[in-house]
Amino acid sequence: MSDSIVIKNATIINRTSQLVADVKIENGFVAEVGKNLKGDTLLDASGCIVSSGFVDLHAHLREPGKEEAETIETGSRAGALGGYTALVAMPNTDPPQDSVAVIDFVREQGKRAGLVDVVPSGCITLGRHGESLAPMAELAQAGVTLFTDDGNGVQDAALMRRALEYAKGLGVTLAQHCEVAELTKGAVMNECRCCTDLGLPGWPAIAEELMVFRDIELVRITGASMHFLHLSTKRSVELVRAGKRDGLPITAEVTPHHLSLTEELLSSYNPVFKVNPPLRSTSDIQALKAGLLDGTIDAIATDHAPHPRRDKEMSLDMAPPGMLGLETALGVVLAEGACEIRDIVALMSWNPAKIARIDKAHGCDVAVGNKANLCVFDPELTWSIDINRLASKSVNTPYLGRTLRGRVRHTIFNGLPTVIDGQAQR
Amino acid sequence: MKHLRSIDELGLDGLNKLLQLTDHMAEINQRPVPKVPALRGRTVASLFFEDSTRTRLSFETAAKRLSADTMTFNVSTSSVNKGESLRDTVATITDMGVDAFVVRHKSVGIPWQISAWTTASIINAGDGAHQHPTQALVDCYTIREATHAQNFAGMKVTIVGDIKHSRVARSNIQAFSMLGAKVTLVAPPTLLPPDISHWPVDVSHDLDEVLAESDVLYMLRLQSERMAQGHVPTLREYSEQYGLTQKRVMGLRSNAIVMHPGPMNRGVEMQIDPSDVKNSLIHRQVANGVSVRMAVLFELLGSGSNLGGQA
């Protein structure tokens, strides 16, 4: 029999209950919930929340291909520190995740690191080129449930329709990065007054909204289920809200940075603020927050996108888009104060686990017999980033110098602590 | 003043100060030996990642007339072609000991990024479609010289052409407005930024409508690739609508002045030879370029020493 761990005096947040108790973990499962529990390792959690571990629907782990920026191991560690127990790995690797061999490799590297469940997503189209379908059935047999060409939207409407039809037969979900490419050529930031002043080509909201609209209508005629990645505009939220009202099988996510940062930051000329879709306006942020509250948006996903320093030292137009997110997501979202803690657990754990179809092991209530994938966090603790102590291999965080609120204290993955008192254990 | 990167950063006081200093420099340039020792021992590096005739040569001439040493960085023969990053390039040149970088780059914001990597002063000689502050200084000085106006209150300046992609327009709109001019932009909507409601300008799509009202007609260059990008259907059509023709010159006020930052696209925005335009200041713009850039270099690098004496 393995050693037992007891989380002491935490406020347990479950779907229909909330109580202060101890949680005993044994053999990878929650063994007991109650008062004054004893065990081999005691983890203090006074004043903290214990919930199911977070699930990120959108992490770029960069392996294989760009290990200079991140590896599956370093990304997993960053995830564990952020309270995550599962990460959906985006497929824009090199080679891309469009073959069983690459999918298996990513999953195996995840197991080798052993810090979170690494859940590889598959490409919709071969090479993410938007020309022909990836072998979705083979990939589905290899366990892929979420398909996306993230970084690229599938531009060809007929091909997207085929992909949705094909996906329906396989019972898998397609996730779209909504961007009509003709409207965003050379785009660096949101099309706005600030972009006018800077003389930069703009990334207009309509480029996202047109594809959101198109895909909602394609879902309507195909009946396939569809997830919208990193929504960033007010109209996108309205379109998804209307689609859900019609009962369509659609879900949507928003990133912490689109909830907290605005377009004006680009006037610092610092490419750390360049991201795709771009940072938008305050009114977009308000609409996204409203979407979180009324259930239009199902999940908060990081779009964790590490880039090596030298890439982010290029000019605004040449630097690649993307920013770190895994280690700061909770602290950013709580600092924004957009929703209740219970909502945050739903948005960061329960709902994404369901969308990724890993809800047997993740996003489960903290209850006897359930897999012990747990996150313990202090919702009040304020902190700021120490760039020298990031677990990620890259440092392109936009939150330097900002005060974040809420920090992960312990993370339990498969019954074992990956993080204790904010320190990674492996 | 440490850097000159945008008109915004310079502000009205800085602008006036540099224009006054330019008068001194213009006087030096009138001398039989137009050279002073003011910046002896100082080194100015030109870092031009984009082609330039006027700006680059006038900066180099300005530096030499102030007795500064110059270093010219030629992108096509540099280690940039071996993949050296901009940061490493700047660090390398800084290590050799330079006091100022004169930077032109196709990318917006490069002068600000570079300032974080070097202790030298940065002079923006054009960053993408963003800013070209010394051109704005040249243009303000040239208008002042021609009109003898200390400020531009009540003056109507019309800027015609590709505002959207123009760093000259962005710097000039700020500078002319700061000095009190009323600026009108004339362009097809495709050559205007999508939202300029916050700019202190009027907008027209009809050049003939505003021609007779203008004290200054400022023509911008239209690059031929704008046609391929669908901003205008054909250069001929653009030229018809927005080019300076003989007929339009006739429609100008008798004392209205015509300007162009160069290089001109003859037959496109300039359908007429500028020498046929009575009040064209295009040659004055070039001539004043040296004096203005001397003023900028002296302001950033000078130690307040006097400008007199011979080198």
Side-chain angles (χ1 to χ4, degrees):
Chain A
M1 190 167 147
S2 73
D3 290 354
S4 61
I5 300 166
V6 175
I7 300 168
K8 300 292 289 178
N9 296 317
T11 301
I12 299 170
I13 293 194
N14 283 332
R15 286 171 177 75
T16 56
S17 67
Q18 179 164 334
L19 71 157
V20 178
D22 298 345
V23 179
K24 185 172 187 175
I25 297 152
E26 248 171 355
N27 299 319
F29 290 86
V30 176
E32 203 176 346
V33 175
K35 298 281 182 190
N36 303 316
L37 301 184
K38 299 201 166 32
D40 301 309
T41 305
L42 302 182
L43 300 179
D44 177 53
S46 316
C48 292
I49 306 291
V50 59
S51 70
S52 48
F54 299 149
V55 173
D56 190 14
L57 288 171
H58 201 141
H60 296 275
L61 301 179
R62 303 290 187 226
E63 186 180 352
K66 192 89 188 197
E67 291 82 354
E68 179 192 2
E70 195 82 287
T71 64
I72 287 172
E73 184 186 334
T74 58
S76 295
R77 192 169 294 116
L81 284 163
Y84 290 91
T85 53
L87 305 177
V88 175
M90 287 292 111
N92 58 335
T93 48
D94 183 16
Q97 289 167 206
D98 62 0
S99 69
V100 172
V102 179
I103 294 289
D104 285 347
F105 170 80
V106 170
R107 195 183 284 111
E108 282 310 310
Q109 286 295 81
K111 283 183 183 156
R112 225 163 271 152
L115 295 161
V116 294
D117 268 332
V118 173
V119 182
S121 61
C123 300
I124 297 173
T125 69
L126 266 184
R128 301 169 50 253
H129 296 315
E131 288 162 5
S132 56
L133 292 184
M136 289 169 61
E138 280 177 32
L139 299 179
Q141 270 171 8
V144 176
T145 58
L146 202 66
F147 289 81
T148 177
D149 278 1
D150 183 50
N152 299 333
V154 178
Q155 302 297 314
D156 181 331
L159 185 65
M160 192 59 202
R161 178 185 178 175
R162 296 285 168 262
L164 282 162
E165 289 168 347
Y166 201 70
K168 193 186 181 195
L170 299 171
V172 297
T173 301
L174 300 192
Q176 186 77 286
H177 166 120
C178 291
E179 176 180 358
V180 174
E182 294 96 332
L183 287 167
T184 62
K185 274 185 193 143
V188 172
M189 64 177 295
N190 188 30
E191 184 174 294
C192 61
R193 289 177 170 189
C194 178
C195 130
T196 290
D197 294 347
L198 294 175
L200 284 168
W203 200 127
I206 186 81
E208 174 174 308
E209 293 149 1
L210 275 178
M211 196 171 279
V212 171
F213 176 79
R214 182 198 77 177
D215 285 359
I216 286 174
E217 295 312 307
L218 289 175
V219 165
R220 202 187 299 276
I221 62 164
T222 58
S225 69
M226 171 111 190
H227 177 68
F228 290 97
L229 300 167
H230 47 46
L231 291 187
S232 69
T233 81
K234 187 173 175 222
R235 269 295 278 153
S236 292
V237 175
E238 289 167 3
L239 288 164
V240 169
R241 184 177 289 130
K244 285 192 164 186
R245 203 182 298 129
D246 293 346
L248 298 177
I250 53 175
T251 54
E253 68 181 38
V254 64
T255 69
H257 50 267
H258 287 116
L259 291 170
S260 59
L261 306 175
T262 51
E263 60 209 9
E264 294 84 11
L265 288 165
L266 272 299
S267 57
S268 67
Y269 312 100
N270 187 345
V272 80
F273 297 113
K274 181 180 175 185
V275 65
N276 190 11
L279 301 178
R280 305 279 189 191
S281 67
T282 313
S283 68
D284 291 308
I285 288 183
Q286 283 164 355
L288 293 168
K289 286 179 176 172
L292 288 179
L293 291 177
D294 73 3
T296 301
I297 293 169
D298 305 86
I300 293 172
T302 65
D303 197 2
H304 178 80
H307 290 292
R309 207 184 274 262
R310 65 185 174 92
D311 284 355
K312 280 292 191 181
E313 278 174 354
M314 291 196 277
S315 56
L316 280 173
D317 55 338
M318 297 303 288
M323 40 182 70
L324 300 184
L326 286 169
E327 293 176 68
T328 49
L330 178 72
V332 169
V333 172
L334 276 167
E336 277 303 307
C339 37
E340 303 289 320
I341 292 176
R342 169 173 295 278
D343 297 328
I344 288 175
V345 174
L347 290 158
M348 292 182 67
S349 179
W350 304 336
N351 300 346
K354 203 167 166 216
I355 292 166
R357 304 183 197 211
I358 51 172
D359 47 338
K360 285 207 163 50
H362 297 274
C364 309
D365 278 351
V366 184
V368 175
N370 281 345
K371 202 85 192 236
N373 288 317
L374 307 173
C375 171
V376 181
F377 61 96
D378 181 341
E380 299 299 334
L381 188 73
T382 54
W383 60 292
S384 52
I385 291 177
D386 178 350
I387 203 158
N388 298 312
R389 300 200 57 191
L390 290 171
S392 178
K393 247 182 139 170
S394 296
V395 295
N396 55 310
T397 172
Y399 295 107
L400 262 193
R402 286 201 174 219
T403 301
L404 308 183
R405 187 162 66 82
R407 189 163 196 182
V408 172
R409 188 161 172 196
H410 317 301
T411 308
I412 310 291
F413 170 61
N414 271 342
L416 297 173
T418 51
V419 173
I420 295 177
D421 285 323
Q423 304 297 317
Q425 298 301 296
R426 275 176 294 142
Chain B
M1 205 181 291
K2 168 81 177 172
H3 306 297
L4 177 63
R5 297 177 296 195
S6 70
I7 293 297
D8 237 11
E9 275 185 2
L10 182 63
L12 179 60
D13 290 346
L15 182 62
N16 276 323
K17 188 176 184 192
L18 286 173
L19 293 177
Q20 273 166 26
L21 200 49
T22 302
D23 279 332
H24 292 287
M25 301 301 168
E27 184 272 314
I28 290 169
N29 286 329
Q30 298 297 318
R31 296 178 190 173
V33 180
K35 190 159 174 131
V36 291
L39 297 184
R40 204 156 54 186
R42 300 302 189 122
T43 303
V44 177
S46 308
L47 208 55
F48 277 62
F49 292 87
E50 258 189 358
D51 299 341
S52 165
T53 302
R54 266 153 281 263
T55 307
R56 179 175 180 154
L57 291 179
S58 62
F59 262 116
E60 285 174 12
T61 306
K64 284 174 178 152
R65 290 193 180 166
L66 293 170
S67 302
D69 294 317
T70 56
M71 205 191 272
T72 299
F73 172 84
N74 194 336
V75 179
S76 59
T77 57
S78 72
S79 291
V80 167
N81 289 334
K82 298 179 187 169
E84 187 166 44
S85 74
L86 180 59
R87 180 175 185 159
D88 290 341
T89 302
V90 168
T92 300
I93 299 174
T94 302
D95 287 343
M96 293 175 191
V98 295
D99 300 289
F101 283 101
V102 179
V103 186
R104 171 170 288 188
H105 201 285
K106 68 172 176 51
S107 300
V108 170
I110 286 288
W112 285 263
Q113 287 178 281
I114 288 180
S115 337
W117 303 330
T118 177
T119 50
S121 289
I122 305 295
I123 300 166
N124 184 358
D127 65 322
H130 181 215
Q131 283 283 313
H132 191 354
T134 59
Q135 181 67 49
L137 285 162
V138 167
D139 295 334
C140 291
Y141 186 80
T142 304
I143 294 173
R144 253 175 55 161
E145 182 186 55
T147 62
H148 307 291
Q150 282 310 297
N151 67 54
F152 297 174
M155 190 182 290
K156 289 184 175 159
V157 181
T158 301
I159 304 178
V160 186
D162 187 0
I163 312 291
K164 188 178 198 168
H165 303 96
S166 175
R167 54 190 172 216
V168 172
R170 280 181 180 74
S171 284
N172 269 337
I173 290 165
Q174 288 176 354
F176 294 160
S177 305
M178 258 181 209
L179 290 170
K182 182 79 209 143
V183 178
T184 301
L185 307 180
V186 181
T190 48
L191 293 177
L192 288 167
D195 181 3
I196 52 170
S197 52
H198 59 303
W199 281 5
V201 296
D202 289 332
V203 174
S204 167
H205 309 302
D206 183 351
L207 179 55
D208 295 307
E209 182 188 271
V210 299
L211 210 53
E213 300 285 303
S214 308
D215 298 305
V216 177
L217 185 67
Y218 197 104
M219 305 300 292
L220 293 171
R221 166 185 170 77
L222 185 84
Q223 288 174 279
S224 54
E225 61 254 38
R226 301 297 170 231
M227 203 173 72
Q229 295 160 345
H231 289 92
V232 290
T234 64
L235 293 181
R236 188 186 56 78
E237 183 164 308
Y238 174 82
S239 186
E240 291 273 306
Q241 303 280 318
Y242 299 100
L244 188 60
T245 57
Q246 183 62 46
K247 184 163 169 258
R248 288 196 172 112
V249 170
M250 304 296 285
L252 283 168
R253 283 185 190 172
S254 62
N255 59 348
I257 56 187
V258 174
M259 301 175 81
H260 191 300
M264 268 182 287
N265 266 332
R266 290 178 191 264
V268 184
E269 74 271 5
M270 295 298 278
Q271 284 214 43
I272 178 171
D273 194 296
S275 55
D276 294 339
V277 182
K278 190 178 65 159
N279 293 322
S280 160
L281 295 182
I282 295 172
H283 290 291
R284 286 311 301 157
Q285 287 173 278
V286 178
N288 288 333
V290 175
S291 304
V292 162
R293 286 165 182 124
M294 285 168 75
V296 170
L297 288 170
F298 182 76
E299 173 63 23
L300 299 188
L301 302 182
S303 51
S305 62
N306 79 67
L307 285 166
Q310 299 289 319

